[in-house]
Amino acid sequence: MPERDPGERTEDIWDQFSPTGEALATEEDYEHGYARVVRVDLQQHVVFRVGDETYGIPIAQIGEISKPMYTTPVPRTSDFVMGIGNVRGVVIPIVDLATRLRLGTCAMAREARVLIVRHASEQTGLLVDEVIGVMSIAPENLEEAPGALAGARGDFIRALARWDGRIIIILDLGTVLAPGDFLAPGVGRSVGRSGRG
Amino acid sequence: MSDPPKPSAEFLSEAQEVIEAFSRNLLQLDAQQRTGEYDPDLLNAAFRAIHSLKGLAGLFGASRVSALAHALESTLDSLRLGRLPLSQPALDVLFEAVEVFQSMLAVFGTEDAETVSTDALLSRITALSPDAEDGGEGSDLVGLDPAILGVLTEYEEHRLRENVRLGRRLFRVHAAFDLLAIDVGIESLKGKLKEFGEVITYLPSADSGSDDRIELDILLGSDATLADIATGVAEDGVRVFALETSAAIPETPAPATVADVAPTPTPTPAPVHDDVDMVDASTAMSLRSISQTVRVDLERLDVLMNLVGELALVQANLSGTLESVRAIRGAADVSRELQTHLRTMDRKLSLLQQSILDVRMVPLGQVFDKLARVVRKLGREAGKDIRLVITGAETELDKLIVEELSDPLMHMIRNCIDHGIETETERTSLGKGATGHIELRAFQKGNRVVIEVEDDGRGMDWRLIRDKAVLRGLIDDLESREMSRQEVIDLIFVPGFSTKDTATEVSGRGVGMDVVKTNIARLSGLIDVDTTPGRGSKFSITLPVTLAIIQALVIQTAKQTFCIPLNSVLESIMVSEADIETVEGHEVVSLRGKTLPILHLSRIFGLQTNYRYLDPARIYVVIVGLAQHRVGIVVDELLGQQDVVIKPLGRALRGVPGIAGATELGGGRTVLLLDVSVLVEEALGRSDATPTDPTPMEAANA
Amino acid sequence: MAQPVLLVEDSRAVRAFVSSILESAGDYDVHEVENGFEALRALPRTDFALIVTDVNMPDVNGIELTRFVRGQAKFAEIPVLVISTDASHPDTQRAMTAGANAFLAKPFTAQQFLDAVARAQGGQ
């Protein structure tokens, strides 16, 4: 990992990044006398907690991790939209991931963090209860979302992964951040623009 | 009193200017050095810049900047005095100094001030220094008046000797100027003389008899003949004398005695000389002198803008007064006159506002200079010979936009050098010519500015982009087959496309074109790419000339702050609860005999379920208008008005009806900007347009 | 009656610094110019009590300015304080030879500057 300047917003989390998954000695290394095969298909994920569940998002989609910032509420938006926040001069929506995933609301404890994610050329802040760390996973350890989880919440899940004895839910940002869901039910472009005025 | 002055903004801004000027000098010297001969004036200007910086930094307690400038000053002194040859390695060190100075200034006065290391640079500077001073120059100036030599600086004396060494002849040009117009006169004469050679110095003549005129002797080194020079500078009061190096410059005030040819007294039409300092396109940048610009703190301009905003409100109030005057019988003439004046005032206010916005404009050259240094440095590091051609450096944009452009452009240039331009061998084998070209162009197109970065490198193969996108899981096979060529190429702007690829990553920043696109979008700009494999790539950035700045009325209601665009605000009135009537279920107030509907933001935005007036006797109503429609917005407090930069809410939230965007007020507070047209339509269109289910704003507010 | 001082210096910040020293030290009225030509223009208009000049300036340098002042009967008596980088530099020597009354090396403190002013004015 390149060193990162621990700037005001950047968290210790960056220090926890293991250099890369493949650099750690594994049991296979002992068995095969360190004839290590460097894998380039490992994908790093930032792992975090929302309520009692553990989630992951590919690190490539995360721009930075910051402490919760002041948000300005925006009227006529869905309950999971906390409002807008200002991240380095750019106004971005901040989403309470717990509300979005129907797990209640974020407890806003000391460990709470905002993941600034990039998706479809837009930045969004995701409020989570705690950032746990970073894991590298190989494609064979990823399970496509099982059918049993189908349904509204199932749409948010891209895959399941096993890490450190836990099941990690890899989120599908495409559905979690579907632009159509941000406006409050019943509010749409038609409101006030129906041509009556 | 004995304290050194505070390291003020004054110091920083001048130091910055000096370094920018120094950098421009270096870029020109670099280009000239490659072709062989360089203008000694440029080297002297570079020396003087660092000399000034040293003095400046010393006075303001910037001791590290001063120490570095001191070391550099000696090197530049050796260079300009010819004790050290101007080589590419020497230029490398000088360019590096620009970067180090800028880093030092960037953190000056902060805790990080000590983190910029100068050791490496200092040792490189030391390594450049000539081993020993060669104990002065030859005494081949026998015959020149020692009184003249005595008033030359060491450098001027060196240039005099250098001119003699190069076999040039020396001339004395005697001119008299009206003191009032001396700078104009000197500039004009200097321009003409530079056509013929080098102006070594100006000696004010000690016997000018008049208070209004001054006589000067100008020392010129030239290959031209006396007759040519005399014809070339034909001007009133200018006389040219040839000096034999073996002969003395007659001591002024004694009358001139040495003249090969009498200057032609009849005015000969002077040949027309265009701009003397024509430079080739690679360095065709602004050469404005340091003293011609005044730097103004943007905050001061903001103060001016706010004052204009307040004037606009005064004007709005006057319009209200006009209405009242109109109602008075027999005051028709007065009201007509008042209306005329108001219209004039309105026009002047717009002009004033536009002028202030114009002051914020700066030329793109500021950024381009920086990029030129990057190209030179990276090109040398990569072992590629790259020629950067800049056009349109004088194109102006709002200062904030120019500052924000620096990083994205830098990244694009890096990409050109790392990935675009092939190695010299590769280029030669392709028959492309060993030198790679990058063109940086800026031009205005309507009310937009276009910046293009084009290289003649290897271009991008859309098939490879497609395969990489599939490999990275950005698109699947099926999608990849349905996409057009341009759609595929645009995938380079998608996040995740250019993330770290350990095997091939060269540019090493780990920042991809998606970030470039985001940064450009933040400035309401667009970026496009056009590429041909084997031929090169062209990126085009289209930007607005000014930021979207509007004047806004800042209000508060139900404890939340909003901005209302001032251009839709007609006036603000104060009513009491008793003035609010209900007509057919709609709340209305009467204003000068007219009834207009009012709306409560707290209600339509669901800000508070049991909204109560802060003070039922003093309720503010902001009257907004859209075409002929008028609606009153009930607010708790008017917080004032301000110029605000509109920021988009992003794709997910831009559909929120009634909200046009967001803006930052002081202290990092982000507030929402109301979309008045939608609110007016809603108020007039009524109930079914308003969302019925309460929004969860209260929960969010709690 | 404030003493008019002609300050010739191409750095804006240095000019501001020197002016502030003089103006807070006493009754000085500082005329700031940024090059030798402007100095030539300013000279006949005011009876200056002191000239403070940088040495290293383009075109008309501080040595030439000093020489010019000394050569003109109506200016010859004006004390000249030369600001330069260091005393041993050949240019400083030349300025002194041309007739400057005192020199001061940069960087300097306010007190050092005022001392140099006193030297220049006293040493006539």
Side-chain angles (χ1 to χ4, degrees):
Chain A
M1 269 323 279
E3 334 75 273
R4 269 183 164 262
D5 187 8
E8 44 175 348
R9 283 168 185 276
T10 318
E11 277 292 299
D12 290 343
I13 181 68
W14 295 109
D15 299 337
Q16 298 174 25
F17 290 177
S18 57
T20 47
E22 66 272 22
L24 298 172
T26 63
E27 281 180 40
E28 278 89 343
D29 285 334
Y30 289 103
E31 282 173 24
H32 299 104
Y34 285 97
R36 188 177 297 160
V37 179
V38 174
R39 299 191 51 168
V40 293
D41 58 345
L42 296 178
Q43 259 205 332
Q44 290 194 315
H45 288 70
V46 170
V47 179
F48 51 91
R49 182 174 65 76
V50 178
D52 295 328
E53 296 182 355
T54 312
Y55 290 86
I57 292 177
I59 204 165
Q61 291 182 295
I62 296 186
E64 72 180 78
I65 299 172
S66 81
K67 290 197 171 169
M69 70 285 282
Y70 179 81
T71 54
T72 302
V74 180
R76 299 177 166 178
T77 51
S78 294
D79 55 356
F80 66 84
V81 180
M82 297 179 67
I84 49 174
N86 189 328
V87 177
R88 302 188 195 287
V90 184
V91 172
I92 66 169
I94 309 292
V95 164
D96 183 342
L97 204 52
T99 312
R100 180 57 168 159
L101 300 173
R102 302 280 164 248
L103 300 169
T105 56
C106 175
M108 291 300 259
R110 214 164 49 87
E111 293 78 23
R113 292 292 180 272
V114 176
L115 310 179
I116 312 296
V117 300
R118 275 199 298 271
H119 178 77
S121 302
E122 299 272 325
Q123 293 191 86
T124 309
L126 298 179
L127 178 67
V128 304
D129 284 308
E130 184 184 359
V131 173
I132 298 167
V134 174
M135 65 167 186
S136 283
I137 45 176
E140 64 266 23
N141 294 333
L142 272 177
E143 263 178 77
E144 290 299 313
L149 278 171
R153 271 196 60 206
D155 287 348
F156 297 149
I157 300 174
R158 205 181 75 203
L160 295 177
R162 196 167 276 282
W163 180 69
D164 201 16
R166 280 185 268 199
I167 295 285
I168 297 173
I169 303 164
I170 309 298
L171 285 174
D172 181 347
L173 290 183
T175 47
V176 171
L177 302 178
D181 292 354
F182 277 60
L183 297 198
V187 174
R189 275 160 215 275
S190 64
V191 174
R193 297 238 190 234
S194 45
R196 257 186 319 273
Chain B
M1 186 55 246
S2 58
D3 294 339
K6 269 189 292 207
S8 57
E10 179 96 354
F11 161 67
L12 284 176
S13 89
E14 186 166 343
Q16 194 65 46
E17 280 174 28
V18 169
I19 291 164
E20 281 168 12
F22 177 61
S23 162
R24 279 195 294 274
N25 289 329
L26 291 185
L27 287 167
Q28 282 191 290
L29 277 172
D30 179 51
Q32 294 181 1
Q33 193 270 351
R34 285 160 195 259
T35 60
E37 221 177 292
Y38 60 88
D39 181 356
D41 280 358
L42 282 173
L43 197 49
N44 190 41
F47 166 83
R48 288 183 30 72
I50 295 305
H51 175 78
S52 305
L53 183 65
K54 174 183 145 184
L56 192 63
L59 277 184
F60 285 86
S63 52
R64 299 181 76 235
V65 174
S66 180
L68 182 56
H70 179 72
L72 211 56
E73 183 190 27
S74 321
T75 304
L76 283 160
D77 202 25
S78 302
L79 285 168
R80 71 179 186 142
L81 292 176
R83 293 178 190 144
L84 191 65
L86 182 70
S87 59
Q88 283 290 320
L91 280 164
D92 284 346
V93 173
L94 299 179
F95 275 109
E96 190 184 332
V98 173
E99 308 298 332
V100 173
F101 277 130
Q102 288 187 332
S103 314
M104 291 172 104
L105 291 180
V107 297
F108 187 74
T110 70
E111 296 169 359
D112 299 332
E114 299 295 315
T115 60
V116 179
S117 167
T118 55
D119 296 350
L121 179 57
L122 280 171
S123 60
R124 292 184 63 193
I125 292 172
T126 315
L128 270 184
S129 307
D131 296 335
E133 304 217 346
D134 56 12
E137 296 173 76
S139 53
D140 50 356
L141 286 179
V142 277
L144 261 190
D145 183 356
I148 300 294
L149 285 178
V151 295
L152 299 182
T153 59
E154 201 182 12
Y155 171 70
E156 288 165 347
E157 187 185 326
H158 163 73
R159 290 311 309 168
L160 182 63
R161 289 176 193 280
E162 193 65 11
N163 271 279
V164 171
R165 194 182 64 78
L166 291 170
R168 292 183 186 151
R169 305 176 68 197
L170 298 179
F171 298 90
R172 178 167 69 92
V173 180
H174 186 85
F177 294 99
D178 187 1
L179 268 180
L180 278 176
I182 185 169
D183 18 15
V184 184
I186 290 280
E187 273 313 305
S188 146
L189 183 59
K190 191 176 181 179
K192 289 174 183 170
L193 291 176
K194 281 205 85 171
E195 287 282 290
F196 294 101
E198 182 177 344
V199 172
I200 296 160
T201 195
Y202 298 80
L203 301 155
S205 172
D207 71 339
S208 47
S210 155
D211 277 2
D212 302 328
R213 288 179 78 73
I214 184 112
E215 292 177 31
L216 286 171
D217 280 316
I218 298 165
L219 214 50
L220 176 76
S222 170
D223 294 324
T225 66
L226 179 61
D228 285 346
I229 298 173
T231 312
V233 298
E235 245 178 58
D236 262 1
V238 178
R239 305 200 300 159
V240 187
F241 305 89
L243 299 173
E244 298 301 331
T245 42
S246 57
I249 296 180
E251 189 177 350
T252 44
T257 53
V258 185
D260 281 347
V261 181
T264 42
T266 43
T268 316
V272 179
H273 298 304
D274 288 332
D275 194 359
V276 187
D277 291 316
M278 282 302 286
V279 286
D280 69 297
S282 67
T283 54
M285 302 176 200
S286 163
L287 278 170
R288 289 175 310 153
S289 105
I290 290 179
S291 58
Q292 278 174 350
T293 54
V294 176
R295 293 208 170 189
V296 182
D297 199 333
L298 277 187
E299 281 174 26
R300 294 197 200 174
L301 285 182
D302 290 344
V303 170
L304 287 180
M305 274 306 257
N306 291 342
L307 283 173
V308 173
E310 281 166 36
L311 277 179
L313 198 75
V314 171
Q315 194 214 15
N317 290 340
L318 282 173
S319 301
T321 313
L322 173 65
E323 291 294 320
S324 314
V325 173
R326 273 200 184 129
I328 303 170
R329 277 167 162 271
D333 286 350
V334 179
S335 74
R336 216 173 294 123
E337 200 177 318
L338 187 56
Q339 187 171 20
T340 312
H341 291 324
L342 273 172
R343 255 191 229 128
T344 314
M345 185 177 177
D346 188 40
R347 275 198 305 275
K348 301 287 180 201
L349 270 177
S350 308
L351 282 176
L352 180 56
Q353 187 176 17
Q354 190 53 50
S355 308
I356 295 173
L357 284 176
D358 286 347
V359 176
R360 296 171 54 97
M361 306 289 273
V362 294
L364 272 165
Q366 292 189 353
V367 176
F368 286 2
D369 285 357
K370 199 155 118 191
L371 295 172
R373 291 199 304 270
V374 169
V375 169
R376 183 184 180 279
K377 180 161 177 271
L378 295 183
R380 280 177 68 81
E381 278 170 15
K384 295 176 182 174
D385 185 21
I386 297 170
R387 190 172 160 80
L388 178 70
V389 181
I390 291 177
T391 45
E394 72 288 348
T395 311
E396 293 192 322
L397 277 174
D398 188 279
K399 184 176 168 64
L400 282 181
I401 299 182
V402 171
E403 279 170 5
E404 294 289 320
L405 268 177
S406 168
D407 284 351
L409 285 176
M410 192 81 78
H411 186 74
M412 289 160 68
I413 292 275
R414 272 177 168 272
N415 274 342
C416 286
I417 297 170
D418 289 345
H419 307 300
I421 306 281
E422 309 89 336
T423 60
E424 281 185 35
T425 17
E426 205 176 325
R427 289 184 70 91
T428 315
S429 71
L430 290 167
K432 289 176 89 167
T435 304
H437 291 81
I438 299 176
E439 279 194 54
L440 196 52
R441 281 184 289 263
F443 52 92
Q444 191 156 354
K445 197 175 169 185
N447 57 355
R448 312 227 116 202
V449 162
V450 181
I451 301 172
E452 293 176 344
V453 179
E454 183 168 9
D455 68 62
D456 67 346
R458 54 173 72 96
M460 289 181 275
D461 188 331
W462 68 281
R463 283 168 296 250
L464 294 180
I465 296 175
R466 181 189 60 193
D467 296 349
K468 191 173 169 189
V470 173
L471 190 72
R472 295 210 176 278
L474 298 173
I475 50 169
D476 59 32
D477 270 337
L478 186 68
E479 283 173 302
S480 79
R481 278 193 291 273
E482 288 169 349
M483 291 172 85
S484 71
R485 187 175 162 261
Q486 190 60 44
E487 281 172 331
V488 169
I489 290 170
D490 287 343
L491 285 172
I492 62 168
F493 296 117
V494 172
F497 180 80
S498 52
T499 44
K500 294 177 200 77
D501 183 350
T502 37
T504 59
E505 185 69 23
V506 186
S507 55
R509 281 275 165 111
V511 179
M513 289 305 295
D514 59 317
V515 181
V516 170
K517 186 173 182 173
T518 308
N519 287 345
I520 300 293
R522 190 198 288 184
L523 302 170
S524 310
L526 298 169
I527 183 165
D528 295 305
V529 59
D530 185 18
T531 184
T532 313
R535 302 277 293 279
S537 308
K538 180 168 91 177
F539 288 88
S540 309
I541 297 172
T542 311
L543 291 160
V545 174
T546 52
L547 286 174
I549 295 177
I550 62 155
Q551 294 172 284
L553 181 64
V554 186
I555 60 108
Q556 195 169 58
T557 191
K559 297 194 180 102
Q560 199 173 338
T561 308
F562 294 93
C563 288
I564 306 176
L566 203 61
N567 61 8
S568 53
V569 174
L570 301 172
E571 63 184 304
S572 303
I573 59 172
M574 195 164 52
V575 300
S576 74
E577 194 165 6
D579 296 330
I580 299 176
E581 297 167 87
T582 306
V583 177
E584 294 172 15
H586 301 320
E587 285 185 317
V588 297
V589 292
S590 293
L591 177 66
R592 292 188 284 273
K594 283 184 186 157
T595 303
L596 59 134
I598 61 169
L599 61 87
H600 295 266
L601 292 177
S602 56
R603 215 170 283 162
I604 64 166
F605 283 166
L607 302 177
Q608 224 172 27
T609 31
N610 297 313
Y611 174 76
R612 292 205 186 288
Y613 295 116
L614 224 53
D615 177 356
R618 299 163 63 88
I619 301 167
Y620 291 102
V621 180
V622 177
I623 314 293
V624 294
L626 175 73
Q628 71 276 33
H629 302 296
R630 303 279 178 272
V631 169
I633 299 175
V634 174
V635 306
D636 291 342
E637 278 183 85
L638 297 173
L639 299 178
Q641 49 188 291
Q642 197 165 331
D643 279 286
V644 297
V645 177
I646 306 175
K647 303 202 168 186
L649 289 182
R651 181 157 50 194
L653 295 178
R654 73 175 162 221
V656 178
I659 304 295
T663 189
E664 263 176 77
L665 296 184
R669 274 188 307 155
T670 306
V671 303
L672 296 169
L673 183 76
L674 299 182
D675 186 340
V676 170
S677 60
V678 170
L679 294 177
V680 169
E681 280 181 33
E682 281 184 19
L684 301 173
R686 278 304 164 178
S687 54
D688 54 343
T690 317
T692 40
D693 38 348
T695 62
M697 284 298 290
E698 273 199 279
N701 273 329
Chain C
M1 183 52 200
Q3 296 190 54
V5 176
L6 179 63
L7 171 60
V8 194
E9 161 66 58
D10 56 354
S11 162
R12 193 172 65 229
V14 174
R15 282 202 305 275
F17 176 52
V18 168
S19 290
S20 73
I21 295 172
L22 284 170
E23 277 160 10
S24 55
D27 217 5
Y28 292 101
D29 181 13
V30 184
H31 294 233
E32 298 180 15
V33 296
E34 59 182 67
N35 59 49
F37 289 135
E38 285 185 24
L40 295 177
R41 192 196 294 181
L43 269 170
R45 293 162 189 273
T46 313
D47 279 333
F48 288 105
L50 175 71
I51 297 170
V52 179
T53 181
D54 192 11
V55 170
N56 214 302
M57 295 182 294
D59 303 337
V60 175
N61 66 45
I63 311 167
E64 286 159 354
L65 182 66
T66 306
R67 172 184 159 278
F68 171 77
V69 167
R70 287 291 167 262
Q72 296 276 82
K74 50 186 179 294
F75 306 135
E77 299 303 312
I78 306 175
V80 175
L81 168 59
V82 167
I83 308 176
S84 77
T85 38
D86 64 275
S88 61
H89 195 281
D91 291 348
T92 310
Q93 299 303 327
R94 291 177 188 185
M96 295 308 286
T97 311
N101 302 71
F103 74 87
L104 178 63
K106 290 184 212 172
F108 47 80
T109 64
Q111 195 52 53
Q112 286 165 342
F113 180 79
L114 291 173
D115 291 346
V117 168
R119 272 203 312 281
Q121 290 190 313
Q124 298 174 55

